[in-house]
Each structure stands twice: as structure tokens, then as C-alpha cells.
Amino acid sequence: MRVEFYRHNIGDEEKRQILKALDSIFLTTGEYVYEFERELANYLGVKRAIGVMSCTAALHLALLACGVGPGDEVITTPLTFVATPNAILHAGAEPIFVDVEPMTGNIDAALVERAITKRTKAILPVHLYGHMCDMKTLRQIADAHGLAIVEDAAHCLEGSRDGYRPGQLGDFAAFSFYATKSITCGEGGAIVTNSDEQAQLLRKLTLHGMNKSAAERYKGEFSHWDMELLGWKYNMSNVQAALLTPQLRRVDERLLRREQICRRYEEAFEDLAELSFPKVLPGTVSARHLFTIQVDPDLRDSLISRLRAEGIAVTVNYLPCHLMSYYRNRYGYREGNFPVAERIGAMTITLPLYSKLTDEEVEYIIGTVKKLVCSK
Ligand SMILES: *Cc1c(COP(=O)(O)O)cnc(C)c1O
């Protein structure tokens, strides 16, 4: 059997919608994007959403909207995709890593407080694997020190904690619609916020700092546009949005299937001494983006090879960012700087998890993992 790491859900509805978009005048930012943004904001219970080209772009612009720039520090986790700290560098600031909680792999709020200096401007938590960070505590810390929060919610479109969704306690939350995310248009992202004013600023920043989009210029009387500030070219297109809206409408139905698969994984692996997995804490609805197991670090890489040889595509989320060559060279990081993140990074294997996974495939994965970890 061959089990893919990920398969998307693009089907007839998305194909119909994209053909409709192709028959319209505007392929760039227009009505399809605005419709997607309204539905995304509505789904998350926040005021505004702005579509962009990627989550990396969303993080970059959200940091700029917080006023982050050269000389500032932003506190984040090393146990994430490199996009997270890279966006801090794109904004001209310095990423300050703090270690993570052993149970969840999420940023440790107690360590965040200790890392705050006069230069700290913002906190950038990542809701790892779909399990939300302790946003209530992070919000209290941020308020006590006058800091902004930008949530990296690339894994957490569907999640919540203590009744709060991504974007409700943070100043901004950033989402990804990259190829392997829960809704996807290949490449894409969004920023959400409860501030109308910030949303207006972000909209301009997505399009060179211009005060009108092409679709807005097309309507009504001729009027000149102006460039008010230096922005980027990060605007989402109608083609991307046409693919995303139908998927967004079915996002909770698909989460139910992933929840079912995760419960089956958890039940099957619960009693195995050879492996463990991160826990979903009480009060948390996990977005169930990635299901990871943790094994003996000395066996991890050979286990990956053997799973692949049995036809199961697995990966690692993540080797911590501070140990990437660029960050080592730039900041002098080495092994031992963030031991919990390093330990999780050395033990983790990500198993396939998506709504199209069949029961037969799930049982094959479970059987193969059990056979391999128990035989060493
Ligand atoms: C995928 C991902 C990103 C980057 O998303 P892009 O849309 O590819 O820029 C950022 N952070 C995390 C945690 C991710 O998993």
C-alpha cells in the first residue's frame, strides 16, 4: 500500500467556482477575494480578514502594522516552520526565541515573560499542530508590558481554547492556504484583525501602499489613484479565492473526520511504551492539523526510512529554527540553547492526517508503526 502524506479536497464545487472566476473580468483581487474575506472573518468571529499570497506575507505585514521595525525584538518559538522567525527578520526586527512546553510543544508563557526587554515590541506565538497556545495568559503578559500579539495560526484555522478563536485575543492572526494546509489554493494566506483601522492599513500594505485596487478603479467614475506609503505586492487573486471559499464552507465537516482519525491514532498508541504524542489540553478544541508521534531520538531517522519503505509518507515538524545554518551563523546558536524544542525536534515523526484518508489506510499506518517501533 502507498499512503500519501497529504491529499487536498478540491472537488466539483471548487472546479465550478474557478471556471466562474475565469469567465469574469478580474483575475486579480476583486469580488471573489472580498467574499472569501467576509466569510473567513465571519467563520472566526472577528471583524476583518485580508487575503494575501502566503502566511509568510501575512506575518510580515501584521508585524509592520504593529509598528515592528529595526531595533525591535519579537519573542517567538524555535519549534516552528522557518517562515515564523523569517517574517520577523523581514520586518527588520530580531527574533528572540524562548523554549516550549514539553506537553504541547507550544511556546512557554512563563519563559515569554522573562525574555521581555525594553526593545520587545510583540509576541509571535504559533499554535503548533493545531493545538492553541495559552492565549489568555499571553494576552495578560502582553497587556502588562504594552506588547502586541501576532498569532501564527497556519495550523489552527478550526481551533479554539477557553472559547477563543485565533485572532480574538491577538492583535492579528495569520493563516496559510499553502498546499498541505486544511484549506488550500496551492499558495495563499490571510490576516485577520478586530481593528477596522488596521485592516485598512493592511489592505494598502498588500498593494504597494496604493489607495485603490484595480477592481475599485474599474467601478464608477474615473479617478486617479495615489500611493500613500511603501507597501508590498502581496494581494490575493480572485483565482485563489475561488478555490478557497467552497473549502471554507466545509471546514468543520472535514475537521470532524480528522478528529475521528486522531482519536483512532491516540487509542491505538496510548499503551505503547515505545512512543508518545502531544496532548490536547482541557478547554482546547484542536484544529487537528498534524498528528505527530515521538520516539527514541536514536531510532527516529531510521524509523522514517522504514515507514517510507513500507509506502507511508511521513515527515518531521520541526527541526528547530535556531539550529538551521542561517540562524546558527547569524546568532551563534548551538545545541542546548532550547532543550525542550530540540528534544521534540529530535523525537518527532508526523503521520499522514487529512479527511480523505480511508479507514483502511489509517489501520495500515497504525499496524506498520506498531510493528516497526516494537521490533526496533
Ligand atoms: C505553513 C506555515 C507557515 C508558512 O505558510 P506560507 O503560506 O507557506 O507562507 C508559517 N508558519 C507555520 C507554522 C506553517 O506551518
Side-chain angles (χ1 to χ4, degrees):
M1 194 183 283
R2 156 108 201 136
V3 188
E4 300 295 343
F5 181 69
Y6 183 81
R7 273 183 287 148
H8 64 67
N9 277 302
I10 288 167
D12 291 341
E13 286 167 59
E14 288 77 12
K15 288 176 189 166
R16 267 197 301 275
Q17 189 76 352
I18 207 155
L19 288 176
K20 232 174 87 190
L22 292 179
D23 282 334
S24 76
I25 297 280
F26 276 98
L27 298 184
T28 180
T29 309
E31 277 313 316
Y32 289 82
V33 174
Y34 303 141
E35 177 183 46
F36 172 67
E37 291 173 340
R38 284 191 298 272
E39 292 199 19
L40 179 63
N42 195 35
Y43 174 72
L44 290 165
V46 296
K47 260 181 155 173
R48 298 287 302 271
I50 290 118
V52 288
M53 288 300 294
S54 67
C55 181
T56 310
L59 291 167
H60 178 197
L61 294 190
L63 289 167
L64 295 181
C66 295
V68 169
D72 295 332
E73 294 176 352
V74 177
I75 299 171
T76 193
T77 166
L79 195 61
T80 181
F81 182 54
V82 290
T84 317
N86 286 0
I88 299 170
L89 294 175
H90 294 159
E94 302 294 336
I96 304 297
F97 294 120
V98 300
D99 213 346
V100 299
E101 304 169 339
M103 285 272 277
T104 62
N106 277 331
I107 196 165
D108 188 331
L111 297 176
V112 169
E113 185 130 47
R114 274 187 253 161
I116 295 171
T117 71
K118 284 205 294 286
R119 297 172 152 225
T120 309
K121 209 52 173 269
I123 308 170
L124 207 179
V126 178
H127 306 309
L128 193 68
Y129 309 145
H131 314 335
M132 237 172 122
C133 297
D134 184 356
M135 285 303 297
K136 273 167 74 178
T137 302
L138 289 173
R139 187 72 258 177
Q140 281 166 5
I141 294 169
D143 288 345
H145 295 87
L147 308 177
I149 301 180
V150 175
E151 299 170 63
D152 182 336
H155 295 184
C156 202
L157 178 59
E158 306 88 345
S160 67
R161 181 161 172 175
D162 305 317
Y164 293 101
R165 314 285 306 262
Q168 292 188 325
L169 288 178
D171 296 83
F172 300 95
F175 297 88
S176 175
F177 312 123
Y178 171 70
T180 56
K181 302 303 204 277
S182 74
I183 68 172
T184 180
C185 53
E187 301 287 351
I191 318 162
V192 303
T193 176
N194 273 319
S195 160
D196 285 322
E197 209 175 307
Q198 293 280 37
Q200 266 184 353
L201 170 66
L202 286 167
R203 174 78 73 203
K204 285 177 195 159
L205 287 174
T206 64
L207 197 57
H208 288 299
M210 289 163 68
N211 61 356
K212 289 191 188 83
S213 72
E216 285 160 347
R217 295 200 305 276
Y218 180 75
K219 285 189 295 204
E221 297 276 297
F222 172 80
S223 68
H224 288 286
W225 55 267
D226 186 22
M227 178 188 142
E228 299 174 352
L229 42 87
L230 181 61
W232 275 259
K233 185 62 170 68
Y234 286 166
N235 56 310
M236 177 181 274
S237 75
N238 273 352
V239 180
Q240 289 167 297
L243 283 175
L244 291 171
T245 304
Q247 295 178 72
L248 182 61
R249 291 176 184 159
R250 298 181 68 175
V251 77
D252 283 329
E253 168 193 327
R254 276 151 189 171
L255 172 62
L256 284 180
R257 172 63 184 154
R258 296 200 305 279
E259 181 66 40
Q260 201 178 42
I261 295 166
C262 288
R263 297 262 167 107
R264 180 68 195 109
Y265 279 149
E266 288 175 350
E267 172 190 82
F269 298 144
E270 209 159 38
D271 298 327
L272 289 185
E274 291 84 356
L275 68 80
S276 61
F277 46 85
K279 300 294 174 295
V280 179
L281 300 178
T284 306
V285 176
S286 174
R288 294 301 200 179
H289 177 56
L290 296 176
F291 190 88
T292 63
I293 57 170
Q294 297 169 355
V295 300
D296 182 341
D298 294 331
L299 304 175
R300 196 267 305 269
D301 287 359
S302 72
L303 199 54
I304 291 176
S305 304
R306 294 165 71 202
L307 282 163
R308 291 171 74 113
E310 302 268 3
I312 301 173
V314 295
T315 183
V316 173
N317 303 88
Y318 294 95
L319 296 183
C321 295
H322 68 285
L323 296 181
M324 296 286 155
S325 298
Y326 180 83
Y327 283 94
R328 282 182 194 254
N329 295 338
R330 181 163 172 156
Y331 295 103
Y333 288 126
R334 48 195 158 66
E335 277 86 359
N337 287 146
F338 305 103
V340 182
E342 287 167 29
R343 200 169 154 69
I344 295 173
M347 298 173 81
T348 289
I349 299 175
T350 309
L351 301 181
L353 174 62
Y354 43 90
S355 60
K356 281 196 164 170
L357 213 52
T358 65
D359 288 339
E360 194 190 3
E361 288 171 325
V362 172
E363 295 311 318
Y364 177 69
I365 294 164
I366 289 170
T368 310
V369 167
K370 279 187 169 175
K371 178 182 83 182
L372 296 179
V373 296
C374 297
S375 70
K376 296 277 186 315

